[in-house]
Amino acid sequence: MAGEMKKQRASWSGKWAFILAAAASAVGLGNMWRFPYLAAKYGGGTFLITYLVLVFTFGVSLLLLETALGRKTGQSAIGAFKSFGKKYAFIGILASAVPFIITPYYCIIGGWVTKYTAAYLVNGPAALADGGDFFTGFITSSAESYIWMLLFMAIVFVVVGLGVKGGIEKANLFMMPALIIMAIGIAIYTLTMPGAVEGALYYLTPDFSKFSPELVIGALGQMFYSLSLAMGIMITYGSYMRKQDSLTSSVLRIGGFDLGVSFIAGLLIVSAAFVAMGSGDAVAAKAGPSLMFVTLPTVFVDMGGMATIIGFLFFLLVLFAALTSAISLVETLVSIVHDGLQCSRRKALGIVIAFVVIAGGIINAGYNVASFIEPLGAGSSMLDFADFISNSVLMPIVALLTCVFVGWIIKPKAIIDEVRISSKFTAAGAWTIMIKYIAPVLVIIILVAYVAAQFGLFAM
């Protein structure tokens, strides 16, 4: 039965289809609002250099591990680990839990982005630049926030429903180039604004006095989340890869795509926010949703006749980034259900749709009818709790277990042999050291730091 399922399994049409899909998964909301904030906070160029080093050492090593594991087994996370023995299935179950937690709340934020994209055309830039009242009124609404969440979900479900080649490949082929072109275009236009060049110089110039353990941990956490590690996505996407396509060159290009989009997003957003706030420290004080949904609209409204166009294009850019990541999350869920229940892909998608809609509705209620539920203390929401459990707790644990599993149980040679089917892999020795010794230590540091930060024991 397993062999029959493997034969029927979908596959990418070629190496670049996989690279584009994996890069699309990596490029998401984290690139747009968390990377610029961290760069502003940790000395601009100093953070960029640290992030660059981490992506092309720790990041691509784990990318290669997960992708090769998927291609070797032809299964999504649970099946991939279980194929080496039933007692290892629990690692796949933990990995699979991550996208099941992330997808519903990611679609809620995707709904916010969809709303703002439309609002620039319907309400106009002035309505959005009111210091945050528009944003607060929207997310706390008992009807409108649900409608936009469902609209975002519907787009994602349609693309995934069209299949790997007919839906995901075609959507990424359009959205990824459009995303990059818009990001570059808006960044260039933003740099013509008074004060923007100072922001760009602040962003690009290394300030080594800001180098600290906190900077390294911040860069590690950002890279970890941005590259879609330890959430079953790369195992699933790897399971669709053809044996003749090079794994090593593919993961290097995925890392390059992620780094490139993060860099452009940081240049755009830090420069734009610098115009409004005048200093790097002021930009660094604005993290997450407030930077994107409150601060940037106040920048765009000062662009005069171009305000509507730039605001719309910027949120369309963010929408494409959100969609590409959400598509990879939902595809991973469908693959997990399809492999686990050995049902048709259509039935698996139906089960996933029901789960994501119900879970999304419950989490979204944390901003309105269930706002009294504050799981992480005063001012926190159910979305914050889901984000903390998935990103700060489960993902580092999954990555640690995966490194121990490959490094010490099945041994690195099992993955190296898979990589060498289509690549020379001259760095196999260095990769082995990374997986066996360095990566586990870095993952433990991320886990301890993020949990400590949540309880006020460590400043992030």
Side-chain angles (χ1 to χ4, degrees):
M1 182 68 180
E4 190 181 319
M5 283 183 67
K6 199 166 177 179
K7 285 179 187 175
Q8 295 172 348
R9 194 168 190 79
S11 65
W12 304 115
S13 59
K15 182 176 75 172
W16 276 101
F18 162 69
I19 292 169
L20 206 57
S25 173
V27 174
L29 292 169
N31 302 71
M32 299 297 160
W33 72 29
R34 195 164 181 272
F35 185 91
Y37 149 72
L38 288 170
K41 182 178 181 179
Y42 292 119
T46 310
F47 181 83
L48 295 179
I49 293 167
T50 306
Y51 190 76
L52 172 71
V53 171
L54 289 173
V55 165
F56 287 106
T57 52
F58 179 57
V60 296
S61 294
L62 284 181
L63 266 180
L64 184 65
L65 185 161
E66 293 193 11
T67 309
L69 186 62
R71 192 178 77 171
K72 181 180 179 67
T73 60
Q75 292 282 302
S76 53
I78 297 173
F81 286 99
K82 191 178 178 181
S83 66
F84 294 94
K86 287 185 178 180
K87 60 185 175 181
Y88 303 120
F90 79 98
I91 305 174
I93 292 169
L94 286 175
S96 299
V98 176
F100 272 98
I101 297 170
I102 290 177
T103 307
Y105 79 74
Y106 201 92
C107 288
I108 292 169
I109 302 170
W112 300 351
V113 177
T114 312
K115 164 67 177 177
Y116 265 63
T117 307
Y120 266 93
L121 301 179
V122 177
N123 303 87
L128 281 65
D130 62 356
D133 291 342
F134 183 92
F135 179 62
T136 304
F138 166 63
I139 66 170
T140 56
S141 64
S142 57
E144 194 182 9
S145 59
Y146 292 88
I147 292 169
W148 289 97
M149 175 193 77
L150 290 170
L151 177 60
F152 180 86
M153 286 178 178
I155 298 169
V156 175
F157 295 148
V158 167
V159 172
V160 174
L162 290 171
V164 171
K165 290 180 181 175
I168 299 171
E169 278 192 21
K170 287 183 178 178
N172 289 332
L173 193 62
F174 168 71
M175 284 193 285
M176 281 300 289
L179 185 155
I180 293 166
I181 291 167
M182 283 191 290
I184 294 171
I186 299 170
I188 292 170
Y189 182 82
T190 302
L191 289 172
T192 65
M193 298 177 67
V197 172
E198 287 83 350
L201 289 172
Y202 173 84
Y203 173 67
L204 295 171
T205 306
D207 178 0
F208 292 109
S209 68
K210 296 279 183 77
F211 187 82
S212 65
E214 290 83 2
L215 181 155
V216 176
I217 292 166
L220 268 172
Q222 170 63 20
M223 177 218 67
F224 202 73
Y225 180 65
S226 184
L227 288 176
S228 300
L229 298 171
M231 56 177 82
I233 291 176
M234 289 305 160
I235 296 176
T236 298
Y237 275 18
S239 74
Y240 301 152
M241 274 193 84
R242 303 181 307 179
K243 291 289 186 181
Q244 68 264 37
D245 293 332
S246 170
L247 283 161
T248 51
S249 64
S250 295
V251 297
L252 285 170
R253 287 178 176 127
I254 293 162
F257 263 111
D258 176 71
L259 183 68
V261 174
S262 294
F263 173 80
I264 297 167
L267 181 64
L268 188 171
I269 291 171
V270 173
S271 301
F274 218 90
V275 172
M277 293 178 279
S279 75
D281 291 336
V283 177
K286 301 287 185 181
S290 66
L291 176 62
M292 183 169 294
F293 296 105
V294 179
T295 304
L296 287 178
T298 64
V299 177
F300 297 147
V301 78
D302 292 332
M303 292 183 176
M306 289 294 289
T308 300
I309 297 170
I310 295 297
F312 169 73
L313 288 176
F314 172 77
F315 278 98
L316 184 63
L317 152 72
V318 180
L319 176 59
F320 282 0
L323 282 169
T324 54
S325 289
I327 287 165
S328 69
L329 284 163
V330 170
E331 174 59 30
T332 300
L333 298 187
V334 170
S335 183
I336 290 165
V337 174
H338 173 62
D339 290 347
L341 299 182
Q342 297 191 354
C343 61
S344 69
R345 182 181 166 86
R346 186 174 179 179
K347 184 177 179 180
L349 177 60
I351 293 169
V352 168
I353 290 172
F355 170 80
V356 173
V357 169
I358 293 168
I362 292 169
I363 295 171
N364 195 43
Y367 287 105
N368 36 77
V369 295
S371 59
F372 60 89
I373 300 174
E374 299 176 321
L376 295 175
S380 67
S381 66
M382 286 192 277
L383 190 151
D384 296 325
F385 180 70
D387 183 61
F388 171 69
I389 292 297
S390 57
N391 286 305
S392 302
V393 179
L394 272 180
M395 283 167 61
I397 289 172
V398 169
L400 177 61
L401 290 172
T402 303
C403 288
V404 171
F405 174 73
V406 171
W408 299 95
I409 297 173
I410 66 167
K411 307 298 183 185
K413 189 177 184 299
I415 298 298
I416 292 169
D417 288 346
E418 178 64 29
V419 175
R420 283 183 169 156
I421 291 172
S422 55
S423 316
K424 285 186 177 179
F425 200 22
T426 52
W431 178 84
T432 299
I433 293 169
M434 173 62 74
I435 296 303
K436 290 185 74 171
Y437 305 106
I438 301 173
V441 173
L442 293 177
V443 170
I444 290 170
I445 290 171
I446 294 172
L447 177 61
V448 172
Y450 271 69
V451 172
Q454 181 59 49
F455 294 100
L457 303 174
F458 180 77
M460 285 291 290

